[in-house]
Amino acid sequence: MYMSFQKGFYIPKVEELIDNAFKKARDEASKVQERDFNRRIIEKEKTRVKIASEEITGTLKNIANKFPNISELNPLYKSLLANSLDIIQLKKALSHLMSSSRTCDELKTQFLAAMFRVQNKNGISKYRNEFYGRLVSVVKRCKASFEIIKNAMKNMAEIPKIKNLPTILLIGCPNTGKSTFLKAVTSANVEIQSYPFTTKRLQVGMLTEKFLEFQLLDSPGLLDRPEEKQNNIEKQTTLALKTIADSLIFIIGANENINNQINILKRFKKEIKYKPFFIVINKIDLVDMGELKEIESALKNYLPQKTTLFKLSLNKAKEQELKEIKDEIYNLNKSWYTKKGKENIKSVF
């Protein structure tokens, strides 16, 4: 299930929900038409109980029902949410809203039945005041659940819109130029800074090449350390690699420690075994020819012989250099559009 969490839904404050419900109840009660004064008061109070309860019950149910069903989400979305949220706590909050809505409905039934037996305006107003007090108490107990759900919506809004398209994951150490690559190849509007760890979440860029559409994902930089020691930012890259990446582009920083970068390649050997990929050595203007040859030699000692390798400085890339990279993206991923495309990908190791 591919979807976007960019457009959420409004979750009011508890006090706002109560005020709105009581206002609507008061407005609806003012429309009651009864010739007998005493009877008119009784019907107005019943209307206020009915409308206030229905407004609050409806809002609580609406929030709980509109929230995406986590069990039906795409594996990446589910993993990203679990990475940033306490899923059990969130489920309890949603369940609490549903049970609270039922409590409000039961209170309405209980008090309307009691009010049916009352024949004077003083007695009926007493019941309505008591009902309002009970209703407010139930809603105020939802305050913590509201905050949990609001926080979840905020986290979900940061998850990019990922389409069911061939997905190319950009992977590498911090400050190697992954965001620069995404911007150069797809014209995506991404933040680029000269310091590491600028990218803190997955970012999407779209590339149309020879009438086919491809989806590139910029990912947070990885450090040379085991997966179990990764922080939540790094884990986004690992999750994308394991769940939705159809192919990979490793961005190597020529001015960064090559051994650390090769260690990252080695660490994910199992995950990328059946995924096509190529290498981009970036920032070659920051090293001399001797250093560049050492980097190439170190990579070739590890990579399969036919691995495509590009050498350039992305911030100064020529149009022809970018065209060659786009052609390689097309060639590696065009089979996705055929029925047996994914089945035909052979191991590159």
Side-chain angles (χ1 to χ4, degrees):
M1 180 181 181
Y2 289 80
M3 63 185 295
S4 171
F5 297 118
Q6 304 298 320
K7 294 182 179 179
F9 50 89
Y10 181 65
I11 301 177
K13 293 182 178 180
V14 165
E15 295 78 11
E16 181 186 355
L17 173 58
I18 294 169
D19 289 345
N20 288 342
F22 287 175
K23 181 180 183 301
K24 184 164 185 179
R26 186 171 59 250
D27 291 344
E28 289 299 314
S30 67
K31 300 175 185 177
V32 172
Q33 300 292 323
E34 282 285 347
R35 297 181 68 179
D36 180 78
F37 176 75
N38 193 62
R39 190 66 197 163
R40 185 164 67 249
I41 296 298
I42 291 173
E43 290 304 315
K44 281 187 174 183
E45 296 292 50
K46 287 181 179 179
T47 299
R48 291 175 75 176
V49 167
K50 181 175 180 292
I51 298 301
S53 173
E54 289 176 353
E55 277 295 300
I56 289 173
T57 299
T59 300
L60 295 179
K61 283 183 178 178
N62 192 43
I63 293 172
N65 290 330
K66 273 192 173 183
F67 202 92
N69 189 332
I70 295 171
S71 62
E72 295 179 358
L73 294 179
N74 168 274
L76 175 63
Y77 291 143
K78 194 184 299 184
S79 298
L80 288 175
L81 286 178
N83 189 42
S84 60
L85 299 172
D86 185 332
I87 298 297
I88 294 176
Q89 186 185 55
L90 173 59
K91 287 182 176 180
K92 286 181 178 179
L94 293 168
S95 177
H96 181 217
L97 294 196
M98 288 301 292
S99 64
S100 296
S101 72
R102 289 192 294 270
T103 300
C104 292
D105 202 41
E106 290 166 2
L107 284 172
K108 178 191 73 173
T109 302
Q110 175 188 333
F111 273 84
L112 285 177
M115 293 167 82
F116 181 78
R117 297 187 292 269
V118 178
Q119 298 301 318
N120 63 83
K121 62 184 181 66
N122 292 329
I124 204 82
S125 295
K126 180 181 177 182
Y127 271 116
R128 194 266 302 164
N129 285 330
E130 184 181 345
F131 171 76
Y132 270 19
R134 297 277 294 276
L135 198 65
V136 168
S137 179
V138 171
V139 175
K140 283 188 174 180
R141 287 199 294 270
C142 294
K143 191 169 186 177
S145 295
F146 271 39
E147 291 305 313
I148 290 169
I149 296 168
K150 281 183 180 179
N151 182 56
M153 291 300 299
K154 181 181 177 182
N155 278 272
M156 292 169 73
E158 294 178 355
I159 297 177
K161 182 178 181 180
I162 299 174
K163 299 180 180 180
N164 189 18
L165 289 170
T167 301
I168 301 95
L169 180 66
L170 309 182
I171 194 169
C173 291
N175 207 32
T176 55
K178 297 183 297 299
S179 297
T180 304
F181 181 94
L182 187 72
K183 189 169 185 176
V185 173
T186 69
S187 298
N189 185 21
V190 295
E191 181 183 5
I192 299 173
Q193 298 290 350
S194 59
Y195 51 82
F197 303 107
T198 302
T199 303
K200 293 180 172 59
R201 60 184 177 85
L202 296 174
Q203 301 182 95
V204 180
M206 306 304 297
L207 169 66
T208 301
E209 190 70 14
K210 300 176 184 177
F211 306 105
L212 296 182
E213 197 170 16
F214 304 96
Q215 179 173 241
L216 278 71
L217 285 185
D218 179 21
S219 65
L222 294 171
L223 297 177
D224 180 16
R225 56 186 175 188
E227 185 177 339
E228 59 270 17
K229 292 187 177 181
Q230 290 181 344
N231 59 35
N232 286 346
I233 294 176
E234 291 174 275
K235 285 178 181 177
Q236 295 178 66
T237 302
T238 305
L239 292 171
L241 174 60
K242 291 181 177 181
T243 56
I244 63 166
D246 296 300
S247 65
L248 307 167
I249 301 175
F250 288 96
I251 310 294
I252 300 293
N255 61 328
E256 302 291 335
N257 186 302
I258 188 58
N259 292 325
N260 290 345
Q261 296 180 84
I262 289 176
N263 285 341
I264 290 174
L265 283 171
K266 290 179 179 178
R267 184 163 294 117
F268 292 102
K269 182 176 180 178
K270 180 180 178 181
E271 283 77 14
I272 66 176
K273 188 175 182 181
Y274 296 100
K275 298 180 190 291
F277 71 94
F278 63 87
I279 303 288
V280 173
I281 302 178
N282 183 32
K283 302 185 180 182
I284 62 171
D285 57 325
L286 300 181
V287 297
D288 58 38
M289 288 301 296
E291 291 173 312
L292 183 58
K293 286 183 179 179
E294 288 179 6
I295 292 170
E296 289 184 69
S297 177
L299 286 169
K300 287 177 180 178
N301 286 336
Y302 168 70
L303 296 171
Q305 190 174 2
K306 294 183 179 180
T307 302
T308 302
L309 193 151
F310 294 95
K311 298 171 288 183
L312 74 165
S313 293
L314 284 164
N315 59 350
K316 302 175 183 177
K318 297 177 181 178
E319 188 173 331
Q320 180 59 32
E321 291 176 315
L322 295 177
K323 182 182 182 304
E324 290 173 1
I325 289 174
K326 291 177 183 179
D327 286 343
E328 186 68 11
I329 292 172
Y330 172 85
N331 291 329
L332 284 185
N333 295 278
K334 62 183 178 181
S335 63
W336 187 94
Y337 283 95
T338 65
K339 288 184 178 180
K340 295 184 178 180
K342 292 185 179 181
E343 298 173 5
N344 291 334
I345 295 174
K346 297 180 180 179
S347 172
V348 295
F349 286 98

